Amino acid sequence: MYQALRTCLLSSARCWDADSERSYQVLFDKIDTNKDGKVDVAELRAGLKAMGIFRHGAAQRIVSTGDQNKDGCLDFNEFTKYLKEHEMKLLLTFKSLDRNNDGHIDATEIQQALAELGMNVSREGALKILQSMDIDGTMMVDWNEFREHFLLYPAFNLEEIIRYWKHSSILDIGDSLSIPDEFTEEEKRSDEWWKQLVAGAAAGAVSRTGTAPLDRLKVFMQVHSTKTNKISLIGGFRQMIVEGGLTSLWRGNGINVLKIAPETAIKFMAYEQYKKLLTSDGKKIETHKRFMAGSLAGATAQTTIYPMEVLKTRLTLRKTGQYAGMFDCAKKILRKEGVIAFYKGYIPNLIGIIPYAGIDLAVYETLKNTWLSYHAKDSPNPGVLVLLGCGTISSTCGQLASYPLALVRTRMQAKASLDVSDQPSMSSLLRTIVAKDGFFGLYRGILPNFMKVIPAVSISYVVYEYMKTGLGISK
């Protein structure tokens, strides 16, 4: 139905000939439902909806771009000027996609274009995208079909799909082991990349603070819970509150938030450098190389900020009055245990990056490409629920795979604070846990860890969107 409406509205405005003004006038008159000679956001939104364009914020963005006199509406001259300028950009994009210059775009060319943006789509997925633009059923798209499909989309290139599918910069579930997001060349040239990183860091800070009690309970259960000393959710919270009061539930949160900024910055810069080493031009990167670059970047960031991880564990587990703050904690660890104490648990933490990042990336790419294969016909926008669902599932799968290593890391970090004289190695600690508590002993504390995923994802997404608006990058 919507395809018929789009064809009816747009078919007469396909080229710049002597009838262009009349063609645009017909389109303008159909959208201007109250016949006041102007198109406002509400009218344009209704017109876009009738044509099957459901992207959130599209109408506002078109009006904001074309509104020269800043009256919040588009008159016919502003509407025409916007369409003509937009058409010029569309033509350049069409020519860049048409690799063999035959005047048509096929599925292979769509695959190549998306691959250059760091997004691997199956041939079936590319055919679905092609089908959404193909009016005559030839499974090739000419300029008129391409123009008709995108004329009233505020985006004019396929990099828009990449923006929809941001993952790690949006969602923060307390672990920072995922592969960094790809930024387009346009984003790198502008100031959008650092604004997105800042928005993501702010979202992570609020999210971690909101779910800190569950995070502390997870660490508490990882270290103290055994087969003979079982700690339930309610029992764990009760023990912590009795020992230190309600505010004790947020112990260790300060350093957990503080480490977001350096870790994000180091990971991003390292990722860009590793990409250059693994690719010829530092731009086109295949999925397996992206995994390698992301894992190396994660290892670099973790190596740099790992002492903060140790401090976070010690502060999380501290008793009332044990430390005056993070600096006092660092000073006491250094004096009693030496510098080596700041890298306890480093090996299992480093090894844990590979299963976490690999499974997270693989599951997310699979879910993303599955959605594109079945639902990219009408719009590249997956919607909030799909984005959050894919991110939550992939991150949870990554956590599930790497959790035993995370538990071993936490116990090794906490050993000295528990006054245990012998410091076991990673392998001996794994054997001891399995021998005493069985295989499921490696998953102590995973329940509060899973419980915090949905609120963490929800909080970080909401804050991220507000931050984007505040920083002027809401699209």
Side-chain angles (χ1 to χ4, degrees):
M1 179 65 181
Y2 91 84
Q3 190 67 38
L5 282 167
R6 289 187 66 167
T7 304
C8 175
L9 290 172
L10 296 174
S11 59
S12 61
R14 286 187 174 179
C15 56
W16 300 351
D17 53 22
D19 296 325
S20 285
E21 293 292 312
R22 285 199 300 274
S23 300
Y24 292 142
Q25 185 71 61
V26 170
L27 180 59
F28 183 84
D29 290 342
K30 287 183 181 291
I31 297 174
D32 180 23
T33 52
N34 63 3
K35 306 303 176 187
D36 64 349
K38 293 182 178 181
V39 171
D40 59 23
V41 174
E43 288 174 315
L44 186 55
R45 187 182 294 119
L48 292 176
K49 187 176 180 181
M51 286 179 274
I53 301 174
F54 300 103
R55 186 191 164 184
H56 176 70
Q60 181 63 60
R61 187 172 166 190
I62 290 172
V63 171
S64 299
T65 304
D67 184 17
Q68 294 178 309
N69 60 6
K70 307 301 177 187
D71 63 349
C73 304
L74 297 180
D75 59 28
F76 177 67
N77 289 332
E78 290 171 328
F79 184 75
T80 302
K81 187 173 186 296
Y82 170 82
L83 290 181
K84 287 184 176 180
E85 289 178 353
H86 192 56
E87 246 185 78
M88 289 175 65
K89 295 172 183 176
L90 283 174
L91 185 58
L92 290 173
T93 302
F94 180 82
K95 288 181 177 178
S96 70
L97 294 173
D98 182 18
R99 305 300 174 90
N100 58 7
N101 297 315
D102 65 349
H104 295 86
I105 299 171
D106 58 28
T108 301
E109 288 169 325
I110 287 176
Q111 278 183 296
Q112 290 173 346
L114 289 173
E116 288 179 7
L117 296 170
M119 186 174 180
N120 294 307
V121 175
S122 65
R123 181 161 185 84
E124 184 184 0
L127 287 170
K128 288 283 186 181
I129 295 172
L130 191 71
Q131 189 180 359
S132 71
M133 298 181 274
D134 181 26
I135 295 172
D136 57 15
T138 60
M139 292 312 291
M140 289 193 295
V141 173
D142 61 22
W143 160 239
N144 283 332
E145 289 172 317
F146 184 82
R147 177 192 172 282
E148 181 168 313
H149 185 81
F150 285 107
L151 185 62
L152 285 176
Y153 271 97
F156 56 86
N157 57 44
L158 289 174
E159 293 185 0
E160 192 69 18
I161 296 175
I162 302 299
R163 290 197 184 97
Y164 282 129
W165 289 96
K166 292 294 183 189
H167 174 35
S168 64
S169 62
I170 298 176
L171 308 180
D172 188 296
I173 59 171
D175 293 287
S176 303
L177 303 180
S178 56
I179 303 297
D181 278 319
E182 288 290 311
F183 288 103
T184 65
E185 290 304 308
E186 178 191 342
E187 288 172 323
K188 289 176 186 175
R189 284 193 296 270
S190 67
D191 58 0
E192 278 195 23
W193 66 271
W194 69 262
K195 287 183 178 179
Q196 288 188 34
L197 290 179
V198 169
V206 177
S207 170
R208 293 185 187 192
T209 302
T211 58
L214 285 168
D215 188 66
R216 189 180 182 221
L217 180 61
K218 176 196 76 174
V219 175
F220 193 77
M221 292 173 74
Q222 282 178 331
V223 175
H224 296 296
S225 182
T226 62
K227 206 168 189 176
T228 55
N229 180 38
K230 291 184 179 178
I231 299 174
S232 65
L233 286 173
I234 297 173
F237 278 127
R238 186 186 294 117
Q239 283 184 50
M240 291 188 291
I241 293 171
V242 168
E243 192 278 326
L246 193 62
T247 56
S248 69
L249 298 178
W250 276 265
R251 282 178 184 169
N253 182 60
I255 189 91
N256 197 32
V257 169
L258 203 61
K259 68 186 177 74
I260 293 174
E263 185 171 15
T264 302
I266 293 166
K267 187 192 283 188
F268 173 72
M269 290 186 289
Y271 180 62
E272 292 299 316
Q273 294 304 313
Y274 287 126
K275 268 175 49 180
K276 289 177 183 176
L277 290 174
L278 293 170
T279 58
S280 57
D281 58 4
K283 295 177 184 177
K284 305 172 188 179
I285 186 164
E286 298 165 350
T287 301
H288 71 281
K289 289 184 178 178
R290 185 181 170 213
F291 166 65
M292 289 171 61
S295 296
L296 288 169
T300 303
Q302 283 289 304
T303 301
T304 308
I305 62 100
Y306 193 76
M308 299 177 80
E309 293 279 1
V310 175
L311 283 174
K312 182 240 177 185
T313 299
R314 298 291 182 89
L315 289 166
T316 299
L317 294 169
R318 78 183 188 271
K319 291 182 172 60
T320 302
Q322 186 176 355
Y323 302 120
M326 65 180 74
F327 292 111
D328 182 55
C329 177
K331 190 166 60 178
K332 287 180 177 177
I333 292 173
L334 186 62
R335 187 170 61 245
K336 290 181 180 179
E337 305 167 54
V339 177
I340 194 70
F342 289 105
Y343 281 89
K344 284 178 180 173
Y346 174 74
I347 299 299
N349 184 69
L350 207 60
I351 297 172
I353 291 173
I354 297 172
Y356 184 103
I359 291 173
D360 181 32
L361 179 65
V363 173
Y364 191 75
E365 290 292 313
T366 301
L367 293 172
K368 177 180 73 177
N369 290 332
T370 300
W371 186 91
L372 286 171
S373 296
Y374 289 99
H375 302 288
K377 183 177 178 181
D378 298 330
S379 167
N381 183 2
V384 174
L385 290 178
V386 174
L387 281 176
L388 294 187
C390 291
T392 302
I393 292 168
S394 65
S395 298
T396 302
C397 290
Q399 280 191 333
L400 196 61
S402 63
Y403 193 84
L405 288 164
L407 182 138
V408 169
R409 175 203 67 195
T410 303
R411 287 204 178 180
M412 291 177 74
Q413 289 172 341
K415 277 297 178 182
S417 68
L418 296 174
D419 298 322
V420 177
S421 54
D422 60 320
Q423 299 297 314
S425 64
M426 178 182 74
S427 56
S428 64
L429 190 55
L430 276 169
R431 285 195 299 269
T432 302
I433 293 169
V434 173
K436 287 185 176 180
D437 300 330
F439 174 76
F440 291 105
L442 296 172
Y443 285 88
R444 297 284 182 198
I446 200 165
L447 181 57
N449 191 61
F450 281 164
M451 285 175 64
K452 74 173 186 173
V453 169
I454 292 177
V457 165
S458 304
I459 293 168
S460 59
Y461 183 82
V462 170
V463 176
Y464 182 79
E465 288 299 310
Y466 272 107
M467 285 298 297
K468 278 175 62 182
T469 302
L471 292 168
I473 56 170
S474 184
K475 295 185 177 181

XYZ file of all heavy atoms in Angstrom, residues 101-171:
580
model
N 29.598 1.621 -13.374
C 29.075 2.731 -14.198
C 28.106 2.272 -15.283
O 28.116 2.801 -16.401
C 30.231 3.507 -14.837
C 31.118 4.171 -13.812
O 30.634 4.793 -12.863
N 32.430 4.039 -13.977
N 27.256 1.280 -14.946
C 26.279 0.826 -15.933
C 24.911 1.459 -15.717
O 23.936 1.104 -16.387
C 26.155 -0.698 -15.900
C 25.582 -1.219 -14.582
O 25.484 -0.425 -13.615
O 25.237 -2.423 -14.514
N 24.827 2.399 -14.763
C 23.563 3.086 -14.509
C 22.617 2.329 -13.606
O 21.465 2.730 -13.437
N 23.105 1.222 -13.013
C 22.265 0.422 -12.119
C 23.083 -0.006 -10.897
O 24.305 -0.149 -10.972
C 21.736 -0.833 -12.826
C 20.816 -0.546 -13.960
N 21.278 -0.296 -15.243
C 19.462 -0.455 -14.021
C 20.239 -0.062 -16.038
N 19.119 -0.158 -15.326
N 22.383 -0.227 -9.786
C 23.011 -0.774 -8.579
C 22.482 -2.191 -8.399
O 21.264 -2.406 -8.420
C 22.673 0.070 -7.333
C 23.183 1.501 -7.488
C 23.273 -0.556 -6.084
C 22.687 2.439 -6.397
N 23.402 -3.154 -8.221
C 22.973 -4.531 -7.970
C 23.353 -4.956 -6.554
O 23.957 -4.190 -5.804
C 23.551 -5.490 -9.009
C 25.078 -5.458 -9.055
O 25.697 -5.155 -8.020
O 25.644 -5.745 -10.132
N 23.003 -6.182 -6.215
C 23.230 -6.672 -4.843
C 24.712 -6.709 -4.485
O 25.098 -6.401 -3.353
C 22.614 -8.070 -4.683
N 25.560 -7.078 -5.438
C 27.004 -7.142 -5.180
C 27.553 -5.772 -4.822
O 28.384 -5.636 -3.913
C 27.741 -7.693 -6.423
O 27.230 -8.994 -6.730
C 29.249 -7.787 -6.160
N 27.091 -4.745 -5.521
C 27.561 -3.381 -5.249
C 27.100 -2.905 -3.870
O 27.836 -2.184 -3.187
C 27.072 -2.437 -6.351
C 27.804 -2.658 -7.669
C 27.177 -1.926 -8.851
O 25.930 -1.810 -8.891
O 27.921 -1.479 -9.730
N 25.898 -3.309 -3.455
C 25.426 -2.963 -2.113
C 26.287 -3.668 -1.064
O 26.686 -3.060 -0.063
C 23.944 -3.350 -1.940
C 23.055 -2.389 -2.737
C 23.535 -3.327 -0.463
C 21.590 -2.725 -2.715
N 26.610 -4.948 -1.282
C 27.479 -5.679 -0.362
C 28.845 -5.013 -0.237
O 29.375 -4.864 0.860
C 27.662 -7.121 -0.850
C 26.519 -8.058 -0.481
C 26.800 -9.480 -0.918
O 26.906 -9.767 -2.108
N 26.941 -10.368 0.042
N 29.413 -4.611 -1.371
C 30.733 -3.967 -1.365
C 30.697 -2.656 -0.592
O 31.603 -2.356 0.199
C 31.199 -3.714 -2.798
C 31.567 -4.980 -3.559
C 31.862 -4.712 -5.028
O 31.561 -3.635 -5.556
N 32.451 -5.691 -5.701
N 29.645 -1.860 -0.821
C 29.532 -0.561 -0.149
C 29.418 -0.723 1.359
O 30.062 0.000 2.126
C 28.322 0.209 -0.692
N 28.612 -1.682 1.800
C 28.443 -1.912 3.234
C 29.705 -2.502 3.860
O 30.050 -2.174 4.993
C 27.247 -2.830 3.489
C 25.866 -2.212 3.229
C 24.780 -3.266 3.345
C 25.586 -1.068 4.175
N 30.402 -3.357 3.111
C 31.645 -3.949 3.621
C 32.698 -2.872 3.881
O 33.465 -2.944 4.835
C 32.177 -4.980 2.627
N 32.734 -1.857 3.020
C 33.684 -0.764 3.201
C 33.376 0.061 4.447
O 34.237 0.772 4.962
C 33.690 0.141 1.963
C 34.348 -0.519 0.763
C 34.329 0.371 -0.467
O 33.925 1.554 -0.324
O 34.705 -0.103 -1.542
N 32.135 -0.029 4.915
C 31.747 0.684 6.127
C 31.853 -0.214 7.356
O 31.395 0.135 8.437
C 30.310 1.209 5.994
C 30.085 2.251 4.905
C 28.597 2.504 4.722
C 30.805 3.533 5.226
N 32.481 -1.395 7.180
C 32.686 -2.298 8.309
C 31.473 -3.136 8.636
O 31.325 -3.632 9.748
N 30.574 -3.324 7.663
C 29.332 -4.049 7.924
C 29.149 -5.133 6.875
O 28.899 -4.853 5.708
C 28.164 -3.073 7.886
C 26.838 -3.672 8.271
S 25.588 -2.375 8.345
C 24.172 -3.348 8.815
N 29.318 -6.397 7.261
C 29.204 -7.512 6.335
C 27.763 -8.007 6.288
O 27.209 -8.422 7.292
C 30.139 -8.638 6.749
C 31.592 -8.222 6.626
O 32.014 -7.764 5.568
N 32.345 -8.356 7.694
N 27.165 -7.940 5.102
C 25.779 -8.369 4.906
C 25.776 -9.515 3.905
O 26.505 -9.486 2.909
C 24.914 -7.193 4.387
C 23.506 -7.661 4.065
C 24.860 -6.083 5.416
N 24.989 -10.543 4.192
C 24.894 -11.687 3.281
C 24.259 -11.248 1.968
O 23.648 -10.181 1.869
C 24.038 -12.788 3.907
O 22.696 -12.338 4.062
N 24.410 -12.098 0.937
C 23.804 -11.757 -0.358
C 22.285 -11.659 -0.220
O 21.656 -10.794 -0.832
C 24.190 -12.792 -1.412
C 23.604 -12.456 -2.786
C 24.291 -13.138 -3.925
N 23.758 -12.687 -5.196
C 24.131 -11.597 -5.838
N 25.070 -10.825 -5.318
N 23.589 -11.250 -6.995
N 21.722 -12.550 0.597
C 20.269 -12.490 0.813
C 19.876 -11.157 1.450
O 18.877 -10.550 1.075
C 19.841 -13.651 1.715
C 18.328 -13.730 1.904
C 17.924 -14.831 2.885
O 18.812 -15.519 3.402
O 16.714 -14.961 3.132
N 20.681 -10.701 2.406
C 20.408 -9.406 3.037
C 20.516 -8.265 2.056
O 19.708 -7.328 2.065
N 21.534 -8.323 1.169
C 21.704 -7.277 0.157
C 20.535 -7.274 -0.818
O 20.067 -6.212 -1.255
C 23.014 -7.486 -0.594
N 20.042 -8.469 -1.162
C 18.887 -8.555 -2.069
C 17.631 -7.966 -1.430
O 16.811 -7.341 -2.113
C 18.638 -10.010 -2.463
C 19.650 -10.625 -3.449
C 19.441 -12.130 -3.570
C 19.529 -9.954 -4.823
N 17.493 -8.160 -0.097
C 16.341 -7.572 0.601
C 16.405 -6.044 0.566
O 15.398 -5.366 0.362
C 16.319 -8.050 2.057
C 15.930 -9.506 2.228
C 14.447 -9.704 2.074
C 14.044 -11.135 2.382
N 12.583 -11.331 2.208
N 17.611 -5.498 0.784
C 17.783 -4.043 0.725
C 17.479 -3.553 -0.681
O 16.801 -2.536 -0.886
C 19.209 -3.649 1.152
C 19.435 -3.994 2.619
C 19.449 -2.156 0.921
C 20.867 -3.819 3.083
N 17.985 -4.300 -1.684
C 17.754 -3.931 -3.086
C 16.267 -3.966 -3.421
O 15.731 -3.075 -4.084
C 18.521 -4.908 -3.986
C 18.633 -4.551 -5.462
C 19.564 -3.379 -5.655
C 19.144 -5.746 -6.254
N 15.586 -4.992 -2.914
C 14.157 -5.162 -3.181
C 13.331 -3.992 -2.656
O 12.315 -3.628 -3.237
C 13.681 -6.471 -2.545
C 12.265 -6.868 -2.941
C 11.855 -8.174 -2.284
O 12.633 -8.785 -1.552
N 10.635 -8.595 -2.531
N 13.794 -3.379 -1.550
C 13.049 -2.259 -0.973
C 13.056 -1.041 -1.893
O 12.196 -0.171 -1.793
C 13.653 -1.884 0.386
O 14.916 -1.262 0.225
N 14.054 -0.980 -2.820
C 14.151 0.165 -3.743
C 13.684 -0.174 -5.151
O 13.421 0.713 -5.951
C 15.607 0.651 -3.799
C 16.153 1.152 -2.481
S 17.864 1.728 -2.619
C 18.765 0.191 -2.397
N 13.590 -1.470 -5.447
C 13.313 -1.929 -6.805
C 11.817 -1.844 -7.119
O 11.017 -2.579 -6.559
C 13.818 -3.365 -6.951
C 13.590 -3.912 -8.348
O 13.523 -3.105 -9.292
O 13.483 -5.141 -8.489
N 11.450 -0.949 -8.030
C 10.038 -0.744 -8.371
C 9.597 -1.651 -9.514
O 8.502 -2.208 -9.505
C 9.780 0.732 -8.747
C 10.026 1.628 -7.522
C 8.346 0.930 -9.256
C 9.978 3.105 -7.829
N 10.472 -1.845 -10.529
C 10.073 -2.591 -11.725
C 10.363 -4.092 -11.652
O 10.120 -4.824 -12.611
C 10.721 -1.998 -12.975
C 12.249 -1.958 -12.871
O 12.784 -2.642 -11.983
O 12.881 -1.229 -13.665
N 10.900 -4.565 -10.530
C 11.100 -5.995 -10.352
C 12.286 -6.589 -11.080
O 12.375 -7.811 -11.216
N 13.240 -5.774 -11.510
C 14.412 -6.276 -12.242
C 15.524 -6.718 -11.315
O 16.529 -7.254 -11.767
C 14.961 -5.178 -13.180
O 15.344 -4.043 -12.382
C 13.915 -4.760 -14.205
N 15.393 -6.479 -10.009
C 16.420 -6.749 -8.994
C 17.697 -5.961 -9.273
O 18.790 -6.361 -8.906
C 16.720 -8.249 -8.876
C 15.559 -9.042 -8.306
S 14.852 -8.307 -6.789
C 16.169 -8.582 -5.630
N 17.506 -4.827 -9.952
C 18.546 -3.812 -10.093
C 17.864 -2.456 -9.905
O 16.685 -2.308 -10.214
C 19.234 -3.881 -11.458
C 20.122 -5.088 -11.648
S 21.187 -4.955 -13.106
C 19.946 -4.944 -14.392
N 18.600 -1.504 -9.383
C 18.012 -0.194 -9.090
C 18.675 0.866 -9.969
O 19.904 1.019 -9.937
C 18.199 0.167 -7.598
C 17.744 1.590 -7.320
C 17.430 -0.810 -6.722
N 17.857 1.559 -10.746
C 18.409 2.654 -11.550
C 18.289 3.964 -10.775
O 17.800 3.996 -9.647
C 17.723 2.747 -12.918
C 16.217 3.019 -12.819
O 15.757 3.537 -11.764
O 15.491 2.743 -13.794
N 18.733 5.065 -11.384
C 18.754 6.359 -10.691
C 17.361 6.794 -10.266
O 17.159 7.282 -9.150
C 19.400 7.424 -11.572
C 19.058 8.844 -11.191
C 18.464 9.779 -11.962
C 19.292 9.477 -9.916
N 18.300 10.954 -11.267
C 18.804 10.793 -10.007
C 19.850 9.059 -8.716
C 18.863 11.703 -8.944
C 19.918 9.962 -7.657
C 19.435 11.256 -7.783
N 16.356 6.614 -11.138
C 15.006 7.058 -10.802
C 14.447 6.295 -9.601
O 13.804 6.876 -8.721
C 14.071 6.882 -12.009
C 14.287 7.960 -13.050
O 14.705 9.068 -12.726
N 14.019 7.628 -14.308
N 14.703 4.981 -9.554
C 14.225 4.186 -8.424
C 14.960 4.575 -7.134
O 14.342 4.684 -6.069
C 14.445 2.699 -8.715
C 13.522 2.149 -9.798
C 13.892 0.742 -10.205
O 15.093 0.463 -10.368
O 12.979 -0.088 -10.375
N 16.265 4.758 -7.235
C 17.064 5.148 -6.071
C 16.597 6.495 -5.554
O 16.411 6.689 -4.344
C 18.539 5.218 -6.483
C 19.475 5.511 -5.343
C 19.910 4.504 -4.493
C 19.939 6.801 -5.125
C 20.777 4.769 -3.442
C 20.810 7.078 -4.078
C 21.228 6.064 -3.241
N 16.396 7.444 -6.473
C 15.978 8.792 -6.096
C 14.596 8.777 -5.456
O 14.350 9.438 -4.449
C 15.971 9.668 -7.344
C 15.490 11.077 -7.111
C 15.241 11.769 -8.438
N 14.612 13.053 -8.197
C 13.328 13.215 -7.902
N 12.555 12.150 -7.788
N 12.830 14.416 -7.684
N 13.684 7.989 -6.052
C 12.324 7.933 -5.521
C 12.308 7.370 -4.100
O 11.558 7.824 -3.246
C 11.442 7.077 -6.429
C 9.993 6.993 -5.945
C 9.084 6.387 -6.994
O 9.162 6.806 -8.166
O 8.294 5.502 -6.632
N 13.170 6.377 -3.850
C 13.196 5.746 -2.531
C 13.734 6.692 -1.462
O 13.226 6.725 -0.343
C 14.063 4.486 -2.581
C 14.058 3.718 -1.299
N 13.039 2.840 -0.952
C 14.922 3.704 -0.253
C 13.289 2.317 0.236
N 14.433 2.814 0.686
N 14.764 7.479 -1.797
C 15.455 8.269 -0.787
C 15.128 9.765 -0.802
O 15.662 10.502 0.026
C 16.975 8.117 -0.940
C 17.495 6.799 -0.446
C 17.918 5.823 -1.344
C 17.560 6.512 0.911
C 18.399 4.611 -0.896
C 18.044 5.294 1.366
C 18.459 4.343 0.463
N 14.265 10.205 -1.721
C 14.045 11.647 -1.862
C 13.596 12.310 -0.564
O 14.044 13.400 -0.219
C 13.014 11.919 -2.963
C 12.783 13.403 -3.284
C 14.066 14.049 -3.806
C 11.659 13.580 -4.290
N 12.714 11.658 0.168
C 12.235 12.245 1.420
C 12.805 11.535 2.646
O 12.246 11.622 3.730
C 10.706 12.253 1.459
C 10.075 13.333 0.571
C 8.559 13.219 0.583
C 10.499 14.721 0.999
N 13.919 10.846 2.461
C 14.697 10.391 3.597
C 15.737 11.460 3.892
O 16.441 11.898 2.986
C 15.446 9.079 3.286
C 14.669 7.829 3.590
C 13.969 7.162 2.590
C 14.650 7.292 4.869
C 13.267 6.004 2.855
C 13.947 6.129 5.141
C 13.257 5.494 4.135
O 12.563 4.351 4.407
N 15.877 11.890 5.155
C 16.904 12.895 5.453
C 18.314 12.369 5.256
O 19.244 13.128 5.063
C 16.641 13.253 6.918
C 15.859 12.116 7.471
C 15.071 11.554 6.335
N 18.500 11.040 5.303
C 19.829 10.471 5.051
C 20.019 10.317 3.552
O 19.068 10.071 2.822
C 19.950 9.109 5.722
N 21.260 10.444 3.083
C 21.486 10.293 1.658
C 22.620 9.324 1.359
O 23.141 9.293 0.255
C 21.753 11.645 0.987
C 22.896 12.419 1.592
C 24.198 12.202 1.185
C 22.650 13.362 2.578
C 25.233 12.913 1.747
C 23.699 14.079 3.141
C 24.985 13.854 2.723
N 23.060 8.521 2.324
C 24.041 7.491 2.013
C 23.876 6.300 2.948
O 23.190 6.375 3.959
C 25.476 8.030 2.069
C 25.806 8.631 3.429
O 25.480 8.059 4.463
N 26.439 9.778 3.423
N 24.501 5.184 2.597
C 24.327 3.949 3.347
C 25.038 3.956 4.689
O 24.886 3.030 5.475
C 24.813 2.764 2.495
C 23.912 2.429 1.305
C 24.560 1.357 0.445
C 22.545 1.973 1.762
N 25.839 4.981 4.974
C 26.462 5.092 6.294
C 25.409 5.264 7.381
O 25.670 5.028 8.552
C 27.451 6.258 6.325
C 28.657 6.027 5.440
C 29.693 7.128 5.556
O 29.464 8.070 6.330
O 30.724 7.037 4.883
N 24.194 5.680 6.965
C 23.111 5.842 7.935
C 22.802 4.517 8.623
O 22.465 4.482 9.808
C 21.854 6.354 7.228
C 20.759 6.829 8.149
C 21.130 8.105 8.870
O 22.051 8.815 8.444
O 20.477 8.379 9.899
N 22.908 3.408 7.895
C 22.640 2.101 8.488
C 23.613 1.825 9.626
O 23.251 1.293 10.666
C 22.742 0.999 7.407
C 21.642 1.208 6.355
C 22.607 -0.389 8.028
C 21.725 0.245 5.193
N 24.883 2.219 9.437
C 25.887 2.014 10.473
C 25.512 2.778 11.732
O 25.672 2.289 12.849
C 27.276 2.482 9.975
C 27.657 1.716 8.702
C 28.328 2.291 11.042
C 27.763 0.232 8.877
N 24.998 4.008 11.563
C 24.634 4.820 12.736
C 23.533 4.154 13.545
O 23.506 4.234 14.765
C 24.173 6.204 12.287
C 25.292 7.070 11.731
C 24.869 8.531 11.698
N 25.897 9.342 11.089
C 25.900 9.714 9.821
N 24.934 9.328 9.021
N 26.865 10.455 9.336
N 22.586 3.498 12.848
C 21.512 2.824 13.570
C 22.042 1.699 14.436
O 21.545 1.437 15.522
C 20.499 2.224 12.582
C 19.546 3.214 11.985
C 19.370 3.283 10.613
C 18.803 4.071 12.787
C 18.475 4.176 10.049
C 17.910 4.964 12.233
C 17.747 5.007 10.859
O 16.870 5.885 10.309
N 23.063 1.002 13.917
C 23.507 -0.216 14.569
C 24.692 -0.011 15.490
O 25.507 -0.915 15.665
C 23.809 -1.287 13.522
C 22.568 -1.803 12.896
C 22.005 -1.402 11.726
C 21.699 -2.807 13.414
N 20.848 -2.093 11.476
C 20.633 -2.961 12.491
C 21.711 -3.598 14.573
C 19.604 -3.870 12.694
C 20.688 -4.498 14.758
C 19.653 -4.633 13.831
N 24.842 1.180 16.074
C 25.845 1.375 17.117
C 25.529 0.422 18.267
O 24.378 0.187 18.600
C 25.814 2.822 17.644
C 26.276 3.863 16.638
C 27.725 3.722 16.302
C 28.161 4.834 15.343
N 29.499 4.613 14.819
N 26.572 -0.072 18.902
C 26.343 -1.080 19.952
C 27.070 -0.720 21.239
O 26.457 -0.316 22.220
C 26.824 -2.439 19.424
C 26.796 -3.539 20.437
N 25.824 -3.633 21.411
C 27.614 -4.589 20.634
C 26.048 -4.698 22.150
N 27.140 -5.295 21.709
N 28.383 -0.818 21.233
C 29.107 -0.684 22.501
C 29.078 0.726 23.058
O 29.186 0.926 24.259
C 30.562 -1.142 22.337
O 31.255 -0.311 21.436
N 28.952 1.740 22.188
C 28.937 3.114 22.700
C 27.601 3.467 23.341
O 27.494 4.447 24.068
C 29.253 4.114 21.574
O 28.266 4.053 20.570
N 26.575 2.665 23.062
C 25.239 2.953 23.596
C 24.973 2.181 24.887
O 24.472 2.726 25.856
C 24.151 2.589 22.551
C 24.322 3.434 21.290
C 22.766 2.786 23.129
C 23.358 3.059 20.183
N 25.334 0.907 24.895
C 24.947 0.033 25.993
C 26.101 -0.202 26.952
O 27.211 -0.495 26.534
C 24.454 -1.312 25.446
C 23.356 -1.233 24.374
C 22.968 -2.620 23.928
C 22.144 -0.485 24.901
